[in-house]
Amino acid sequence: MKTTLTALLTLASASMLFADDIVLDLDASISSQQILLGEPTVTWRYSASVTQGPASTLSLIPNSFLGPIISVNTGDSVHIHQQNNLMGETTTHFHGMDIPEISDGHPKDAFDPGESYDYEFIVRNRAGTYWYHPHPDMMTGMQVYMGLKSFFIVSDPQEQALDLPRGEFDLPLCLHDADFTAENQLVYSGANMMGHFGNTQLVNGQPNYNYSAATKVYRLRLLNGGQSRILKLAFDDGTPVIVIGVDGGLLEAPEEYPYLLIGPGERYELWADFSGKTVGEVITLKSLLYDEFAGGIGQGGERDIMTFTIDRAEEETLTLPTSLVPMGEVYDVADIQDEKYWPITFENGMFLLNGEMWDMTDMTATVENERSVADELELITMTNHEGNIQFAHPMHFHGRQFQIHSRTMVDPDSQDSYNTLKDGIVDSGWQDTFMIMPNETVQFLVRWSHHPGLFMWHCHNLPHEDMGMMRNFLLSEPTCPSDLNYDGFVDVADLLVIIGAWGTPFGDVSGDDITDVSDILGVISGWGACN
Ligand code: C2O
Ligand code: CU
């Protein structure tokens, strides 16, 4: 009986070959852009075209050397055919997206100039502000710095049902910085323990960035797309910092902060209400001063990020929603199936994760406490207080959004400097990158991806990453793929999940990311208690 069902299941999966909803050609090549007065700057650039799907999938950031914004919907099947026209190997990672190993852009899958690679996945993520960038070993920082990065925006029906600013009032802003030679060319310091701090602040690739705004509410999708700099953001006119979204999408409800701390790789969405402003007003988004010891050498200086000039009066009817989007599953530490302890240390001039160094030569060499089982819920404890050198690190895990469980400052001597930035740390909602500050312990709860395979976790301070502050982790096949509500039993409740998720990725048992007949057969063949 079971064998017949398994055979049927395989057959049903094989017959369900859906056509791709979206097919893109993506090219990475050497280009140039007028950034400063005088000589144009040589940059590296993503450009793309739509082969199949809506033309609105791609939108260009005006006057920018950054790549096109890619916009998709949850459940879309996406096929990105990428050509490498650079001088070295590259690979593309869709940061924050829960996608199969083969399309994750791991450095082991880098491909040479003149070659191409096909990224194929079904969008399992909720609506949110994700992004894409290269990920080749030791060259990620350089390639991102030269311009290879942009937004990957996901929408879904829950988000579309809300009254949020849309169209021109939905504004993606990539915050980064750079250094230029006297001839206007980009210079990069590369892998080093301090990081890279560019003197010129850029927003969406432009210096002295000014946005002409109306007296309206804006949804600002902020991406820290910089190399190393941790920003402490606030508006100089006292416009409240109201966070509506984080890495993995909208919060359950808006939250107000005195300022917002955003480290490299992180995204936050703000509800910026300029409806009470008068025409002619100029509002500056600043990064405020904080204690260098709280972030590490080079961090903490005050700087202007960009300005908004109110240049027209327009009527605003939107009001801040009291609730946004439910979390879905809220993890409970009582339900964890395993737990891991991963310290950050500094030895012989290198930052180590879990006591280990990155080793590109053997991609099968995972260590015992960096292996997990797909779909399982775990508690991860990361510490940043051993030895005598601590830096702040933006830690990122591929594949899955997680929930921050706790954050503890363990050193009373660090409390004063920590106090200069701690009130801007946003731990709510679904996160894929979080700041761990010197002498902190952070715990998070994660339900690993449904996709088995080799994924990675690393520091997103790109010079640290390129020094090898990266680790692999290996997910083995889920033990009970048909237990869709994770209660330990495959039963009627799981069939109900399938019916509710029909046609989406969320009732997938068979591993094809689409809920269909094959998944009903999967539940029947797995019926009973999980073991
Ligand atoms: Cu945004 Cu592994 O990276
Ligand atoms: Cu780091």
Side-chain angles (χ1 to χ4, degrees):
M1 161 90 170
K2 221 160 182 166
T3 357
T4 326
L5 279 167
T6 314
L8 268 173
L9 169 72
T10 319
L11 203 69
S13 307
S15 65
M16 286 297 186
L17 287 176
F18 283 85
D20 293 315
D21 298 313
I22 292 171
V23 182
L24 303 178
D25 272 312
L26 180 72
D27 171 90
S29 56
I30 312 230
S31 177
S32 78
Q33 176 78 30
Q34 192 77 45
I35 300 173
L36 305 172
L37 282 177
E39 281 295 297
T41 303
V42 173
T43 67
W44 299 355
R45 188 195 297 262
Y46 283 128
S47 49
S49 57
V50 179
T51 307
Q52 187 173 305
S56 59
T57 304
L58 294 176
S59 49
L60 294 177
I61 304 176
N63 305 315
S64 180
F65 65 99
L66 305 189
I69 298 171
I70 302 176
S71 302
V72 301
N73 290 302
T74 303
D76 281 350
S77 73
V78 178
H79 179 165
I80 297 177
H81 176 75
Q82 195 200 333
Q83 182 70 31
N84 178 0
N85 289 325
L86 302 168
M87 280 164 337
E89 61 168 24
T90 195
T91 171
T92 301
H93 173 56
F94 301 88
H95 180 127
M97 301 297 293
D98 182 4
I99 52 188
E101 171 187 345
I102 188 89
S103 295
D104 192 47
H106 191 289
K108 71 178 167 56
D109 298 320
F111 54 104
D112 287 326
E115 291 184 352
S116 63
Y117 195 95
D118 289 274
Y119 298 95
E120 287 179 278
F121 53 92
I122 289 173
V123 179
R124 284 183 81 95
N125 288 62
R126 314 181 339 144
T129 307
Y130 307 92
W131 65 301
Y132 65 102
H133 63 75
H135 220 309
D137 190 37
M138 296 189 291
M139 285 300 290
T140 295
M142 180 71 169
Q143 294 193 1
V144 171
Y145 183 76
M146 293 300 289
L148 296 170
K149 56 189 158 199
S150 194
F151 294 87
F152 191 92
I153 291 178
V154 177
S155 185
D156 68 13
Q158 278 184 309
E159 180 209 36
Q160 285 154 18
L162 289 167
D163 269 332
L164 295 173
R166 297 198 194 285
E168 64 172 300
F169 304 103
D170 177 343
L171 190 61
L173 296 169
C174 174
L175 317 181
H176 53 139
D177 53 53
D179 284 314
F180 293 89
T181 63
E183 292 75 39
N184 291 351
Q185 300 311 307
L186 288 162
V187 272
Y188 187 52
S189 52
N192 75 84
M193 104 187 221
M194 305 306 166
H196 184 95
F197 299 94
N199 287 318
T200 304
Q201 180 65 43
L202 302 172
V203 173
N204 289 348
Q206 295 164 68
N208 305 313
Y209 191 74
N210 176 64
Y211 187 80
S212 294
T215 52
K216 296 278 279 184
V217 177
Y218 286 82
R219 175 185 188 176
L220 305 182
R221 298 180 187 255
L222 305 178
L223 157 65
N224 185 332
Q227 309 301 114
S228 304
R229 205 182 287 279
I230 304 159
L231 302 169
K232 176 184 172 180
L233 299 175
F235 299 101
D236 73 336
D237 69 331
T239 295
V241 176
I242 298 171
V243 176
I244 57 170
V246 296
D247 296 335
L250 294 166
L251 293 175
E252 294 203 302
E255 294 178 5
E256 188 173 338
Y257 290 83
Y259 51 82
L260 172 69
L261 199 77
I262 181 169
E266 290 190 292
R267 288 90 60 217
Y268 288 103
E269 297 185 17
L270 297 185
W271 173 277
D273 186 354
F274 301 145
S275 64
K277 299 287 150 192
T278 46
V279 172
E281 269 188 83
V282 178
I283 302 150
T284 305
L285 178 67
K286 294 179 81 80
S287 185
L288 308 176
L289 196 72
Y290 59 86
D291 194 311
E292 184 178 66
F293 293 109
I297 298 156
Q299 303 281 8
E302 185 175 318
R303 57 200 285 121
D304 288 352
I305 306 298
M306 64 172 287
T307 52
F308 295 88
T309 300
I310 307 296
D311 77 338
R312 61 198 192 278
E314 277 178 36
E315 206 208 334
E316 182 55 277
T317 52
L318 292 179
T319 52
L320 182 64
T322 49
S323 66
L324 297 163
V325 174
M327 286 289 284
E329 190 185 7
V330 177
Y331 302 146
D332 186 337
V333 75
D335 298 333
I336 61 167
Q337 287 152 293
D338 204 350
E339 118 174 72
K340 293 188 168 60
Y341 163 71
W342 286 336
I344 299 172
T345 50
F346 186 79
E347 280 164 46
N348 306 321
M350 298 291 286
F351 291 108
L352 303 186
L353 296 175
N354 190 27
E356 305 276 346
M357 271 182 46
W358 174 247
D359 177 8
M360 208 41 216
T361 58
D362 187 357
M363 282 296 119
T364 58
T366 54
V367 302
E368 205 278 320
N369 74 338
E370 289 170 312
R371 287 179 217 132
S372 295
V373 181
D375 284 344
E376 283 199 357
L377 182 68
E378 289 199 47
L379 176 70
I380 310 289
T381 302
M382 290 200 62
T383 62
N384 189 21
H385 44 73
E386 282 160 45
N388 44 22
I389 295 191
Q390 290 90 24
F391 275 60
H393 303 281
M395 296 306 307
H396 170 50
F397 288 72
H398 284 207
R400 214 41 187 176
Q401 302 287 327
F402 45 80
Q403 296 172 11
I404 304 287
H405 176 63
S406 76
R407 180 182 285 279
T408 320
M409 166 53 63
V410 298
D411 172 27
D413 291 341
S414 299
Q415 190 67 46
D416 281 351
S417 57
Y418 185 57
N419 287 346
T420 66
L421 52 69
K422 74 168 195 333
D423 293 337
I425 298 175
V426 179
D427 283 335
S428 315
W430 292 102
Q431 308 262 343
D432 59 56
T433 310
F434 64 90
M435 290 303 314
I436 184 166
M437 309 312 288
N439 297 306
E440 258 194 326
T441 291
V442 178
Q443 293 187 297
F444 63 92
L445 287 159
V446 57
R447 184 177 292 292
W448 297 117
S449 176
H450 189 60
H451 302 293
L454 188 75
F455 297 93
M456 57 193 321
W457 60 290
H458 58 87
C459 179
H460 222 289
N461 179 328
L462 297 177
H464 289 183
E465 174 174 342
D466 286 338
M467 279 171 79
M469 196 177 178
M470 292 197 286
R471 295 296 299 154
N472 277 324
F473 70 89
L474 184 67
L475 293 182
S476 53
E477 294 282 340
T479 48
C480 199
S482 314
D483 180 15
L484 291 163
N485 65 344
Y486 311 115
D487 66 350
F489 294 92
V490 179
D491 53 20
V492 174
D494 301 300
L495 285 177
L496 293 177
V497 172
I498 288 184
I499 291 160
W502 200 259
T504 75
F506 303 112
D508 177 43
V509 169
S510 58
D512 62 359
D513 272 346
I514 278 289
T515 309
D516 55 24
V517 173
S518 70
D519 304 306
I520 293 186
L521 298 175
V523 165
I524 294 166
S525 73
W527 202 262
C530 299
N531 39 28

